[in-house]
Amino acid sequence: MQTIQVHDKKFIPYITAEEINSEVRSIADRLSTDYAESKPLFIAILNGSFIFAADVFRALRIPAEICFIKLASYKGTKSTGEVITSIGLDADVFGRDVIIIEDIIDTGKTLNQFLPQLEHQQPKSMKICALLHKKECTVFPIHIDYLGFTIPDRFVVGYGLDYDGYGRNLNGIYQLEEQ
Ligand code: 5GP
Ligand code: MG
């Protein structure tokens, strides 16, 4: 992996595609065991989680459904503090075992806003699966049931995550170079 440029910024290699793949497999194995009997419903939060969600979903060995919602709180490399929903939930979650798939949990604001809306629809259970967690940025504590990596407070791109629209197609994860 090499240092890369996205727009005006340089990013350095941080997590390789192999390391991601190994975490994805181990998460999918755990999910396949934990939900062997229940035909769970996965809800992936767009845009950032589309690649992680697809890879986890494909690695499952159980019958399961997936749907997508679109929430966003980031502009450039900073959180705006405001969560906007632009595609809502079209699945019926009542009585279902639900697993939310996020690319990264930063302040926890996105999920802190979305979880009560979902709870309102009375799923049987609700768990969180995230590839990355910036633990030290927590403002709204979220319990993550299936987590790939805990990372420091440094902006990252790749594997679905973008910097102003670009960088999502990188196979690994890259970290903003320190100024
Ligand atoms: P939260 O609401 O937990 O503060 O932020 C969650 C969302 O912010 C993530 O789903 C992601 O879209 C975005 N985000 C947070 N940190 C990063 C980062 O380092 N890189 C990118 N590309 N997006 C991030
Ligand atoms: Mg996101």
Side-chain angles (χ1 to χ4, degrees), residues 2-18:
Q2 293 172 351
T3 299
I4 51 130
Q5 176 102 19
V6 182
H7 296 303
D8 57 328
K9 300 198 189 303
K10 282 206 167 73
F11 292 84
I12 54 173
Y14 183 51
I15 307 175
T16 65
E18 291 71 28

Side-chain angles (χ1 to χ4, degrees), residues 73-74 79 102-111 134 154-157 161-163:
S73 65
Y74 256 61
S79 177
E102 256 288 32
D103 49 354
I104 180 166
I105 297 177
D106 180 11
T107 63
K109 189 176 176 83
T110 306
L111 286 183
K134 286 186 184 166
R154 191 96 76 81
F155 190 77
V156 290
V157 294
L161 291 134
D162 72 309
Y163 166 41

